[in-house]
Amino acid sequence: MFIGEAKRVSETQRVPLHFQAVSYLELTPELLADQDLVLLTPQVAYQAEIQAKIGDRVPMAVIPNDIYGWLNSQALVKFTCKQLAVHPAVAY
């Protein structure tokens, strides 16, 4: 639901983002090779196994607690844009 709403917000604001939710078990070198950024949920962000899988392959950021806790998809899009230095076509 959270990712679906974030996709809708990014489309509405004409921001070129593609969100994909996966389990950390699905993180493979092949999947990571196609990513510009990996967003981690707060509850798994500090697990060494996950950080080791991602390593230096792709930039990583932790979704802030206030964004994730409230499932604030608009704030998630804004946060992601800031991490990637992407500017939305529509001001928010």
Side-chain angles (χ1 to χ4, degrees):
M1 185 171 89
F2 185 39
I3 294 301
E5 184 64 18
K7 288 178 183 180
R8 189 195 65 72
V9 169
S10 65
E11 289 171 3
T12 301
Q13 295 180 355
R14 293 179 276 168
V15 181
L17 298 176
H18 172 74
F19 290 97
Q20 179 180 0
V22 298
S23 162
Y24 80 92
L25 298 172
E26 297 175 74
L27 291 177
T28 62
E30 296 79 23
L31 177 67
L32 291 169
D34 293 334
Q35 308 309 311
D36 295 320
L37 176 67
V38 173
L39 296 173
L40 299 175
T41 60
Q43 67 267 28
V44 300
Y46 302 102
Q47 292 183 11
E49 180 182 350
I50 295 171
Q51 291 185 8
K53 276 189 167 187
I54 296 169
D56 293 332
R57 291 185 171 102
V58 62
M60 174 176 51
V62 179
I63 301 170
N65 283 326
D66 59 330
I67 293 174
Y68 188 76
W70 288 100
L71 300 177
N72 187 337
S73 55
Q74 188 166 7
L76 179 63
V77 170
K78 186 175 181 179
F79 175 76
T80 305
C81 286
K82 184 177 179 182
Q83 297 300 309
L84 293 170
V86 173
H87 302 286
V90 177
Y92 51 95

